[in-house]
Amino acid sequence: MFVQIPRTSRAVLAGVALSLVGLPAFAEALSSTFSFLVVETGDDGQEQLVERGTVRPGEVIHYQLRHENMTEAAMGGIVIAAPVPEGVSLQIGGETTSVPAVFEVQAELDPEQDGLEWSTLPAMRKVADADGTLREEPLPQEAVAAVRWVFSELLEPGASALNTYRVRVD
């Protein structure tokens, strides 16, 4: 079975959120690109990243988010967030960053809270037992709805940041 990735879905998959804490005017000054490649294993056992318009269940997609500071001033408070689309599961441990940043995942972590919460890894969630008692368990990869990187340092003028993450097609 193949899943075709139409151009319109590619645009939806590329829906990356950007937040500059306290600096909303700089949002246009941060050039952003979003791309994805399919992870294939060659005959030699080595990973290869390839462009394809279709994916099969079980295959891994490698998302890449590149951001460049187009201003003449250092930018601080940058938070880069990206979705984990329906039909895929985050591959925890497959995330990277080229700049110092804190990586977080978003999911329903506490049934007593409304909405989704952010957590660093390893993430834990609360689940209710049959008697209503809450217990903690590791967050399953398939429960992650989004990822984000909170930059720990300023992004200097002209500097770029590359953040990547991987998902497996369900």
Side-chain angles (χ1 to χ4, degrees):
M1 172 181 175
F2 288 95
V3 177
Q4 181 72 26
I5 304 174
R7 290 190 202 286
T8 54
S9 292
R10 291 178 190 178
V12 171
L13 290 175
V16 177
L18 166 67
S19 171
L20 295 169
V21 178
L23 299 173
F26 282 139
E28 300 84 35
L30 193 67
S31 171
S32 301
T33 59
F34 180 89
S35 61
F36 60 94
L37 299 165
V38 178
V39 179
E40 290 184 354
T41 304
D43 293 336
D44 59 359
Q46 297 294 313
E47 256 186 25
Q48 301 171 5
L49 299 176
V50 298
E51 284 190 45
R52 272 202 280 143
T54 60
V55 291
R56 294 183 203 110
E59 289 188 311
V60 174
I61 300 171
H62 179 87
Y63 290 116
Q64 301 178 116
L65 302 92
R66 182 175 304 279
H67 305 281
E68 182 179 353
N69 180 351
M70 304 298 286
T71 71
E72 294 181 15
M75 299 172 109
I78 297 175
V79 178
I80 305 296
V84 175
E86 287 189 36
V88 300
S89 298
L90 179 69
Q91 297 297 284
I92 293 176
E95 67 281 345
T96 66
T97 183
S98 66
V99 298
V102 175
F103 180 74
E104 297 176 324
V105 295
Q106 185 183 46
E108 185 176 324
L109 301 175
D110 186 344
E112 295 178 335
Q113 303 272 340
D114 286 336
L116 304 175
E117 300 92 33
W118 290 100
S119 174
T120 56
L121 296 176
M124 301 294 287
R125 72 174 179 181
K126 294 180 182 177
V127 293
D129 286 332
D131 65 359
T133 305
L134 291 179
R135 64 178 169 78
E136 281 197 340
E137 69 177 21
L139 180 69
Q141 295 180 139
E142 61 273 6
V144 176
V147 297
R148 76 178 178 188
W149 292 264
V150 179
F151 287 19
S152 304
E153 297 179 1
L154 298 175
L155 188 61
E156 296 298 326
S160 292
L162 176 64
N163 302 91
T164 69
Y165 65 110
R166 291 182 172 192
V167 298
R168 181 173 304 280
V169 179
D170 295 338

